[in-house]
Amino acid sequence: MNTLLNPEPSFSLIPSIRITKTHYLTRRRLQASRQFSSTDGNRLIGRRIRLTVKADLDSALIDQLGLKESDIINPAISSSYRSSKLPKPNQTLLEAQAKVCTGPTQTRPLREDEAFKVLDTILRSAKGDLKDEEEVSKAQLGAFFSAMTIRANAFPEATQWSEGERRAMNTFWPLLMRALSPDVIFIADPEGSIMGGGGSIGPHYSGNDPREMRLVGALREVLAGGHLGYEEVQGVLRDVLPLQLDNKAPGVSESLLSAFLIGQRMNRETDRELKAYCLAFDDELGPPPVADVKSLTHYGEPYDGNTRFFRSTLFVAAVRSCYGESCLLHGAEWMPPKGGVTEEQMLKFMGASTNLSVLQAKELLEDEEIGFAYVSLREARPSLYSLIGLREHIKKRPPVATSEKVQQFVRGEEGALSMTTRLRSVNASKGLPVNYCSGFRSLNVESTFEGDGVSRQSFNLEVNASNYGFEPTNTPRTDRSVSKNIELGLAALRGEKGPTYDRIVLNAGMVDHLLGCDGAEDVSVAMDRAREAIDSGKALKRLLNYIKISHKLK
């Protein structure tokens, strides 16, 4: 379980809309926010929306034909949105990272044969002898050896090095010492005490410039299993980001940066560390504009998208905007590790502009015919966007994967924020249930004001959809299909009843109720209001308005 951020109204990853009243809800992995501040919403953009899903290559067909998704350019499949400019990671090492670059209890030590294969791959890559595989990147080396060091220094016995890993390292380390660069040797043995032999490179390594010197100093603490202060984390992030992706200017070592990012995640970030990630680039593009709307909900879905289940938030936003609950969505076109279906992919596939600035998003929020907007991380936080390629090579989610979606407020399938109408499995004993909601709504009662100026009423509950008249149904599968997700969502907004329709209504109505929105005090009234927005055609009209008007903004 990752540490939750302390609720502070100033937390807003996207420089979207900063308003006076804030609602926060928390889920198991992060804190979510609703920031108060309202509005409503023509014609479908022709052929792009006339979906013929049968003509699209979906995941099942790809598997049947024995093709690799990465080799197919098909905008209907989420993996096709990965930029071809990004170098691919080495798969042998990536599989090992999935096992060892994780928490104190989740890490799975490598078997001896696995460890020998991984270290042999690293050595052959360093010597330029890999023939049939991608070379091992600097970012992968940093992440892997950071994980090995932290496991040796700070993890419980069960997840420290296995005997097989130690035998493999004893065999390969003398060879790796001669092949690896000093920054990687430092990460693997920062104090010269892990590998034996009292190596001197790690203890004396300081980096190549002032930025790396600060990063190395912080990394020594992280590799020992320690934690950093708020200012220290912010200083490192502002020093090293954005990454220089064009190679025209020297940047910091990707080995050091990836070691830092995955190391902090493995150590389980503290509140102050997550706060630093959240606020480090809060003013990157200047102060956020203020939208003239009565109410605004920020939706921060997991940026790496859905690979299995229907993603409903875009359609929920269209519904809620019909009765004055404006919604700001944010995310990325494609994000590792899952590389699933995202709001940006759906909007792009339907023909909407996805290159909107924050000021243009403000216009859409204030437009009485629309009332919701989407902002890409690319436009809102260029520094954090520059990490996408590095994050793929890290494999596991770094701390920024938590802070970027800080506005998320309930738990759902695949870590998403959507609630489901399906029944909880009788075998589901681990962790919190899918529909568990925890947080608080704002109140206008002066006696409840806390130190940050927000009046609150806390709540925590498991939402049972059957209590609100919904038939138990399985969540519709989309399996990385962007077009299938769109087809399901549009059919629901046209009033087609079924699991997708129910899911959109449940999420719109329940969010209104939990956040204390006007007119949603009675949850059944909130649900009926969402149904009316769909059945009247208003929600579909607003989505189509968004697609058309997003191209006219200047």
Side-chain angles (χ1 to χ4, degrees):
M1 181 185 298
N2 298 318
T3 307
L4 298 181
L5 298 176
N6 288 327
E8 294 197 15
S10 60
F11 280 14
S12 82
L13 175 68
I14 300 299
S16 46
I17 324 292
R18 188 161 290 165
I19 328 187
T20 54
K21 295 171 66 179
T22 304
H23 283 191
Y24 291 91
L25 295 87
T26 57
R27 50 165 283 186
R28 182 175 62 158
R29 294 183 60 184
L30 32 108
Q31 167 203 302
S33 79
R34 173 177 187 257
Q35 295 185 350
F36 263 46
S37 297
S38 116
T39 116
D40 255 2
N42 214 292
R43 208 176 54 218
L44 200 53
I45 295 191
R47 58 188 181 83
R48 294 289 301 275
I49 279 293
R50 295 193 193 114
L51 298 175
T52 54
V53 179
K54 291 181 181 178
D56 294 320
L57 285 177
D58 60 19
S59 294
L61 182 56
I62 288 171
D63 292 340
Q64 184 179 338
L65 296 176
L67 301 174
K68 292 182 178 179
E69 287 188 6
S70 58
D71 296 331
I72 297 171
I73 304 302
N74 178 8
I77 299 296
S78 65
S79 53
S80 292
Y81 289 83
R82 180 189 181 276
S83 172
S84 60
K85 297 179 181 179
L86 297 175
K88 295 179 181 179
N90 177 276
Q91 289 302 310
T92 297
L93 198 60
L94 205 66
E95 291 171 7
Q97 290 169 246
K99 294 182 177 182
V100 303
C101 293
T102 185
T105 58
Q106 299 96 334
T107 285
R108 294 167 289 159
L110 301 176
R111 300 190 314 267
E112 185 168 343
D113 62 312
E114 292 174 327
F116 267 87
K117 180 180 179 181
V118 167
L119 295 178
D120 177 65
T121 299
I122 291 173
L123 180 61
R124 288 190 293 121
S125 179
K127 295 168 66 175
D129 292 340
L130 276 184
K131 302 301 181 185
D132 301 322
E133 293 184 75
E134 303 288 341
E135 70 173 26
V136 176
S137 68
K138 297 278 284 183
Q140 286 187 281
L141 290 173
F144 176 76
F145 282 113
S146 174
M148 297 297 285
T149 299
I150 291 173
R151 289 174 59 208
N153 284 336
F155 272 23
E157 184 176 354
T159 51
Q160 290 180 4
W161 291 14
S162 67
E163 287 300 317
E165 287 174 314
R166 187 161 296 282
R167 281 191 288 270
M169 197 67 80
N170 288 341
T171 300
F172 278 94
W173 187 245
L175 302 172
L176 290 170
M177 279 277 290
R178 296 194 290 269
L180 297 176
S181 58
D183 55 341
V184 177
I185 294 173
F186 155 70
I187 295 166
D189 198 3
E191 305 303 328
S193 59
I194 296 176
M195 301 301 182
S200 62
I201 294 179
H204 293 98
Y205 185 78
S206 61
N208 295 320
D209 60 33
R211 295 175 301 167
E212 284 196 355
M213 290 177 67
R214 188 202 286 249
L215 178 55
V216 168
L219 192 49
R220 286 190 185 277
E221 185 69 25
V222 172
L223 292 173
H227 294 283
L228 305 174
Y230 171 80
E231 292 80 9
E232 194 171 7
V233 174
Q234 276 211 336
V236 167
L237 295 175
R238 289 172 175 171
D239 274 354
V240 302
L241 297 179
L243 293 181
Q244 303 299 322
L245 303 178
D246 54 10
N247 296 318
K248 293 181 180 178
V252 297
S253 159
E254 290 195 357
S255 297
L256 296 175
L257 181 53
S258 65
F260 178 79
L261 293 174
I262 200 60
Q264 286 221 288
R265 171 46 54 94
M266 291 179 67
N267 290 338
R268 294 179 170 176
E269 318 92 312
T270 63
D271 287 7
R272 64 176 181 265
E273 288 171 326
L274 281 175
K275 179 179 177 181
Y277 276 94
C278 184
L279 299 181
F281 300 100
D282 210 36
D283 57 356
E284 183 172 11
L285 300 180
V290 178
D292 184 17
V293 295
K294 76 164 189 180
S295 172
L296 177 64
T297 305
H298 292 75
Y299 279 90
E301 287 269 24
Y303 279 19
D304 59 353
N306 286 24
T307 58
R308 294 175 292 157
F309 298 112
F310 172 68
R311 193 164 168 110
S312 65
T313 304
L314 174 62
F315 307 100
V316 171
V319 170
R320 297 183 72 235
S321 69
C322 293
Y323 41 82
E325 296 298 335
S326 302
C327 304
L328 180 68
L329 290 69
H330 54 89
E333 182 174 61
W334 179 88
M335 181 69 76
K338 287 166 64 174
V341 176
T342 66
E343 284 73 31
E344 186 162 339
Q345 291 172 9
M346 288 188 277
L347 287 168
K348 188 173 183 177
F349 191 87
M350 289 189 288
S353 172
T354 56
N355 300 312
L356 303 179
S357 69
V358 174
L359 285 172
Q360 289 171 324
K362 172 182 176 292
E363 289 185 50
L364 292 172
L365 290 168
E366 295 173 340
D367 190 316
E368 294 186 357
E369 299 301 317
I370 300 175
F372 69 96
Y374 171 83
V375 176
S376 175
L377 184 70
R378 178 183 57 254
E379 309 298 327
R381 289 289 184 271
S383 289
L384 297 179
Y385 183 77
S386 73
L387 283 172
I388 288 180
L390 188 81
R391 288 171 65 168
E392 183 179 19
H393 288 238
I394 289 175
K395 177 57 179 178
K396 306 298 283 187
R397 295 179 179 89
V400 71
T402 294
S403 63
E404 69 195 359
K405 59 179 188 271
V406 69
Q407 291 86 8
Q408 183 177 351
F409 51 83
V410 294
R411 189 166 177 262
E413 288 103 342
E414 301 190 60
L417 58 77
S418 296
M419 288 171 274
T420 179
T421 55
R422 68 179 172 87
L423 293 175
R424 190 183 186 195
S425 170
V426 294
N427 299 318
S429 57
K430 247 177 109 177
L432 297 172
V434 168
N435 280 6
Y436 180 80
C437 304
S438 175
F440 60 85
R441 59 177 66 87
S442 69
L443 296 172
N444 293 317
V445 181
E446 191 169 338
S447 62
T448 63
F449 274 85
E450 299 192 9
D452 57 8
V454 179
S455 61
R456 304 170 177 167
Q457 180 184 60
S458 298
F459 61 83
N460 58 80
L461 74 160
E462 178 183 359
V463 174
N464 186 338
S466 62
N467 292 342
Y468 307 105
F470 294 98
E471 292 292 327
T473 54
N474 290 325
T475 303
R477 299 281 304 214
T478 56
D479 297 314
R480 294 187 185 274
S481 174
V482 180
S483 57
K484 181 63 174 178
N485 207 103
I486 295 169
E487 180 190 40
L488 289 169
L490 292 179
L493 292 192
R494 287 195 297 267
E496 184 177 306
K497 305 301 188 290
T500 304
Y501 178 97
D502 287 349
R503 186 181 175 90
I504 294 172
V505 169
L506 173 67
N507 280 277
M510 187 55 65
V511 166
D512 291 339
H513 175 67
L514 292 178
L515 292 179
C517 298
D518 291 344
E521 295 82 4
D522 184 327
V523 68
S524 62
V525 173
M527 300 292 183
D528 287 342
R529 184 169 66 174
R531 291 188 183 94
E532 193 280 332
I534 296 174
D535 296 343
S536 65
K538 294 176 184 176
L540 178 60
K541 183 178 180 181
R542 283 174 179 265
L543 179 58
L544 303 183
N545 285 345
Y546 184 95
I547 295 170
K548 181 177 70 173
I549 296 175
S550 65
H551 287 281
K552 297 182 178 181
L553 298 175
K554 296 180 181 180

